[in-house]
Amino acid sequence: MLDSTPPGQLADLFASMIDLSLGEKLQILETTDVKTRIRLTLELLTRQIQVLKISQKLQSTVESKLGKKQREFFLRQQLDAIKKELGESDEGEEDEVADLTKRINEAKLPEEASKAAIRELKRLKRMHPSMAEYQVVRTYLEWLSELPWDKQSEDVLDISRAKEQLDSDHFGLEKVKTRILEYLAVRKLKQDLRGPILCFLGPPGVGKTSLGKSLATALGRKFHRIALGGVRDEAEIRGHRRTYIGALPGRIIQGIRRCGVNNPVILLDEIDKLGRDNRGDPSSALLEVLDPEQNGTFTDHYLNVPFDLSNVLFIATANDADTIPGPLFDRMEVIRIPGYTFEEKLHIAERHLLPKQIKAHGLELDNVNLDKDILLKIATGYTREAGVRNLEREIAAVCRALAVEYASAKEEPSRSYDATVTDDKLTRILGPERFDEEISERSPMPGVVTGLAWTASGSGGLLFIEATMMPGTGRLHLTGKLGDVIKESAQIALTWVRSNASRLSPPAPPELFQTRDIHIHLPAGAIPKDGPSAGITIVTALVSLLTNTPVRGHTAMTGEVTLRGQVLPVGGIKEKVLAAHRGGVKYVILPEKCKRELEEVPQNVRDEITCVFVKRVEEVLAFAFEQSRKTITSTAGGKEPTAGNDQSSLDHAYLKCKL
């Protein structure tokens, strides 16, 4: 049939069968040349074939996708039916997303956090619960909804009540209490005051952590403690990024979530014991946290949105300031807490430690009778520390022994129970006294002098220096695990003594230092020792050795010495004086420029110790040795260069501490 059809009609036939526009149809009709009409129709027919091929391809693609979706839908319907039969229906998944949406709306998120939450909610709605990322997004949204973005606890700005709370919880520590009351007073006058960054620096066991709890109680705020000892990973502070499996926010954000308010008291315990390794430097991460100018926009890596920490009251505790990085130390207001005196320990034991241990061991107050003399004997004879931890352990040992006696008396009515602890009973429980007065137990002898040291734990201690001579070639031997600074102090002390040997009484011959070796030893050789404060102590030990004169009894000293014999100030005066008081020292020789630091020493300690303030080594020697025996003479006119040339000026050399 197609073979018998004329070409022109054939072109018209094909043109009528394909999809053409009106203009294209008119163009074909207006073309009278048969060849031209056939060529034009062929082009339009080819175009239509290509369109149909593309349409067919798209249709097959759509049908395959629809078939896959229909297959998945069918399988999910089967899965839901199986779960219903097993009692594991997922009907609550939609309710869970709706609940998250409601909680986020009620959380009053800031603008940036709200945008992040809305974005993640949209992603969550498009995910199936079986997807791995579903739980990641869900956990992230839960953290955003549970953080207290706009929740605060109302501060109790009652200064008198806060003072009573602090006094009832802690004995002494007046400087710390005053600083806390100052903050409360200013906070009462200025509502938008940012929280200070306080650092309680002191030896172990003096109440730094418990003081933070008392502060939170006085303010009426929530309290959270973060132990930083041994933390080496920066992510512990800033959090992990959500790309890691099991990622969580840092400890700061976790603590705020646990407290439920955005203005808690957060205690950063043992901040001086932070570590660092290839995972980062946590102390550098704390720079933003502890900076009042920056922590208003603290960004945790997990949240990835700013959180305001300016309302948080941060308190750090530390034992040694030397291990805290300089920039971090600069951001904190340091309040030094020294060790306690025996009188303060007695009050703490009566008011806190003894009632606590009686209750902890199932006893009643009537079952234990420890008077002040027994408690003081425990503090002085069985402990030697700046804090009260060992004192509490010894009191606990006494309570355990009494608990055994009380329980035995209840089991055997014939046995009587005596609640009173006597000296003999205390000795049976704790054994013989472990400590005596360290000074009084040492008889004065030439070449032995007592110095004062400041330990790395923040407490003071006694430092005994021994010097002796032996045949040799003039060498100086130093032992006792000494550092470079204290070795230099010993060399300076020997140089001063050699240059002033002719002024000693009796004079030391110059050839003595060429034919004799001098050995200086600091006992407790396993403990490292360093610092310049042993200068005058070493000079006194050498002079005592060369003149064969013992030092005045119950005397200790501290101070740096120069080649010209000047006595320079040193640090840790309060801790050293307290250590001298604990050790039974009666006289303490101190540099003149340290007189103002003595005002921080408790009044009862100042009443019991005579402090001697000196400017030169000659004044040290004038007081350190018995006044009846001159150990050094003046270079001019044979006068004795002590604190003066008569008794009145000698009395001026040392002052009874009644500041």
Side-chain angles (χ1 to χ4, degrees), residues 105-125:
N105 293 332
E106 294 175 351
K108 298 181 181 180
L109 274 64
E111 181 179 357
E112 189 170 348
S114 179
K115 289 180 180 178
I118 293 174
R119 182 176 63 251
E120 296 299 325
L121 268 175
K122 291 180 180 178
R123 291 183 59 204
L124 187 69
K125 292 177 181 178

Side-chain angles (χ1 to χ4, degrees), residues 7-224:
Q9 293 181 8
L10 189 61
D12 294 340
L13 177 63
F14 282 112
S16 64
M17 295 174 63
I18 61 178
D19 186 15
L20 298 175
S21 63
L22 180 61
E24 291 172 336
K25 292 179 179 180
L26 291 175
Q27 185 180 4
I28 292 175
L29 291 175
E30 292 173 354
T31 304
T32 56
D33 185 54
V34 176
K35 289 183 179 181
T36 304
R37 179 183 292 183
I38 291 174
R39 186 168 56 252
L40 181 59
T41 303
L42 184 61
E43 291 176 358
L44 295 174
L45 185 61
T46 303
R47 186 191 69 180
Q48 184 66 26
I49 292 173
Q50 294 296 328
V51 170
L52 291 175
K53 285 182 178 181
I54 294 173
S55 299
Q56 185 179 7
K57 183 178 180 181
L58 292 175
Q59 183 68 23
S60 62
T61 303
V62 171
E63 287 179 355
S64 64
K65 288 185 177 181
L66 288 176
K68 184 179 179 181
K69 292 290 183 181
Q70 291 173 351
R71 180 172 174 272
E72 288 181 359
F73 177 77
F74 177 72
L75 292 175
R76 291 190 191 282
Q77 293 296 323
Q78 288 183 328
L79 181 62
D80 291 341
I82 294 172
K83 286 185 175 182
K84 286 181 180 179
E85 291 295 329
L86 295 175
E88 301 176 358
S89 177
D90 288 337
E91 293 178 357
E93 294 294 342
E94 294 184 1
D95 295 338
E96 186 177 274
V97 175
D99 180 61
L100 273 176
T101 305
K102 179 182 177 182
R103 287 161 58 187
I104 288 174
N105 293 332
E106 294 175 351
K108 298 181 181 180
L109 274 64
E111 181 179 357
E112 189 170 348
S114 179
K115 289 180 180 178
I118 293 174
R119 182 176 63 251
E120 296 299 325
L121 268 175
K122 291 180 180 178
R123 291 183 59 204
L124 187 69
K125 292 177 181 178
R126 295 194 299 266
M127 296 178 186
H128 190 266
S130 61
M131 297 179 62
E133 197 174 356
Y134 181 89
Q135 297 299 329
V136 176
V137 177
R138 174 190 167 190
T139 304
Y140 175 72
L141 291 173
E142 286 180 347
W143 273 98
L144 287 180
S145 63
E146 292 177 5
L147 283 176
W149 301 90
D150 196 41
K151 296 179 182 178
Q152 289 187 357
S153 59
E154 186 175 353
D155 288 346
V156 179
L157 301 177
D158 189 341
I159 299 177
S160 59
R161 175 182 175 275
K163 189 175 186 305
E164 292 177 0
Q165 178 71 39
L166 293 173
D167 289 338
S168 64
D169 292 344
H170 295 273
F171 182 82
L173 306 178
E174 298 300 329
K175 187 175 181 181
V176 184
K177 295 177 183 177
T178 301
R179 180 62 185 91
I180 294 172
L181 295 178
E182 288 173 353
Y183 168 73
L184 287 177
V186 179
R187 181 75 171 81
K188 190 172 184 178
L189 299 176
K190 194 174 187 295
Q191 296 296 326
D192 59 344
L193 177 67
R194 292 181 178 178
I197 313 297
L198 303 178
C199 178
F200 297 153
L201 181 64
V206 295
K208 299 184 295 294
T209 302
S210 59
L211 193 60
K213 295 180 181 178
S214 299
L215 174 57
T217 304
L219 284 172
R221 293 191 181 187
K222 297 288 185 67
F223 176 80
H224 182 71

Side-chain angles (χ1 to χ4, degrees), residues 108-116 140 144 147-149 238 253 256 288 294-310:
K108 298 181 181 180
L109 274 64
E111 181 179 357
E112 189 170 348
S114 179
K115 289 180 180 178
Y140 175 72
L144 287 180
L147 283 176
W149 301 90
R238 289 189 175 275
I253 297 298
I256 291 177
E288 180 184 2
Q294 300 180 23
N295 61 12
T297 56
F298 172 72
T299 302
D300 187 275
H301 286 164
Y302 181 83
L303 299 179
N304 205 27
V305 292
F307 190 89
D308 187 5
L309 297 179
S310 61

Side-chain angles (χ1 to χ4, degrees), residues 36 47 80 105 136 197 240 392 437 443 490 530 552 564 584 595 620 655:
T36 304
R47 186 191 69 180
D80 291 341
N105 293 332
V136 176
I197 313 297
H240 300 82
E392 185 175 8
E437 289 190 355
S443 58
D530 203 2
R552 182 194 297 262
R564 297 298 180 182
K595 184 185 297 185
V620 176
L655 305 174

